[in-house]
Amino acid sequence: MSTDDEHGDSPLDRGDQEIGAEIAADPETLLSALPHYYRGEVTQASSSQDRIDQTTNWAITVLAALLSVVFSSPEMPAYLLLVGILVLSIFLWFEVRRYRFYDMYRARVRFFQENVFANALKPVGVEHPRWREELSDDLRYPTFKVTSWEALSRRIRRIYALLFVVIGVAWVAKVTLFTPETQWTEAAELPGLHGAFVAALLGAFYLAVFALANWPHARRAKGEIYGEEPGDWKNDE
């Protein structure tokens, strides 16, 4: 169906439908509307950040509770800590998705700041000459600004690497120091799996975590902090 047909089927006339275009042509009206848009994006970014923090808090709470249970008695099996690694991985996956939504709103806020507020404070030119068109396109067709792999790497590096290290050290302590009456391979074994094989699988997991935390080396998402060069605003790949 053509655009003209859509306008014809609407109870509003074309002038009412295109009220946004009239605002765009009037700088005073546009400047009155933009602050409301900016506050909305900031609110979305703050809400998304709160959801990420809630996920992290739950991960830490579950880890603390699991450590308390496992070390409460010598009879508690070490494999419960392996279950904890699985639970942390699930929380990490949830957080990666939430982080991508947060980064989408954060990127818009930052894009608006550097092209509107920065130039208003010191009018030396905008960073993106077509910033209005680019922002309009992103509002029409929203896209994530960071890939799942980069979001995963970033959350591991900033939060979950330490949590995985804590639970890994706890597992080693449980199968050695806290079970002196048995061989560590016996304390570490799972039904049908020798303890040495379980330790090898755990080592492979931690190697994968280390690799993910250090990849990719070059940040693809937009960022100017910590001495990093700004990247493209949108990742279209």
Side-chain angles (χ1 to χ4, degrees):
M1 181 180 293
S2 65
T3 303
D4 292 338
D5 293 337
E6 292 176 357
H7 283 294
D9 294 338
S10 173
L12 300 175
D13 59 33
R14 189 181 184 91
D16 291 329
Q17 294 179 18
E18 298 294 340
I19 189 171
E22 297 180 5
I23 293 176
D26 185 355
E28 183 176 351
T29 305
L30 179 62
L31 289 175
S32 298
L34 286 179
H36 298 289
Y37 160 74
Y38 178 74
R39 284 194 294 268
E41 293 289 1
V42 170
T43 300
Q44 290 277 27
S46 299
S47 177
S48 298
Q49 180 66 68
D50 290 340
R51 295 185 68 195
I52 294 174
D53 292 341
Q54 290 174 6
T55 307
T56 303
N57 291 339
W58 272 107
I60 295 174
T61 301
V62 169
L63 175 58
L66 185 61
L67 292 176
S68 299
V69 171
V70 170
F71 289 98
S72 63
S73 172
E75 286 73 27
M76 286 292 176
Y79 67 76
L80 290 179
L81 294 171
L82 302 181
V83 175
I85 291 178
L86 176 61
V87 173
L88 285 183
S89 299
I90 294 174
F91 278 121
L92 173 59
W93 184 250
F94 289 157
E95 194 160 317
V96 164
R97 178 169 176 80
R98 292 182 175 185
Y99 182 84
R100 296 186 75 196
F101 276 101
Y102 158 75
D103 186 77
M104 179 178 67
Y105 298 120
R106 178 209 60 79
R108 287 179 183 169
V109 170
R110 183 70 189 99
F111 192 71
F112 192 88
Q113 289 173 345
E114 66 179 345
N115 290 288
V116 180
F117 293 140
N119 203 37
L121 295 172
K122 186 179 180 181
V124 294
V126 296
E127 296 296 321
H128 301 80
R130 299 182 64 253
W131 70 269
R132 289 177 61 175
E133 291 89 340
E134 291 187 42
L135 188 56
S136 174
D137 291 342
D138 195 64
L139 291 175
R140 294 175 188 272
Y141 309 104
T143 61
F144 290 123
K145 310 302 183 294
V146 62
T147 64
S148 296
W149 286 110
E150 185 172 350
L152 177 63
S153 174
R154 202 173 300 173
R155 298 317 294 167
I156 290 176
R157 189 163 56 247
R158 294 180 179 178
I159 300 293
Y160 283 83
L162 179 59
L163 300 183
F164 283 131
V165 167
V166 169
I167 203 167
V169 171
W171 183 84
V172 172
K174 181 64 178 179
V175 300
T176 56
L177 300 178
F178 287 84
T179 54
E181 68 280 359
T182 60
Q183 292 290 329
W184 74 267
T185 52
E186 296 180 8
E189 67 183 13
L190 294 174
L193 293 177
H194 191 270
F197 184 71
V198 174
L201 290 177
L202 194 60
F205 171 81
Y206 276 92
L207 285 176
V209 169
F210 178 80
L212 287 172
N214 290 277
W215 180 90
H217 294 290
R219 174 174 172 156
R220 299 185 62 85
K222 181 177 180 60
E224 301 96 341
I225 304 178
Y226 306 119
E228 297 177 352
E229 292 294 330
D232 295 333
W233 182 56
K234 297 180 67 174
N235 179 19
D236 295 327
E237 294 183 2

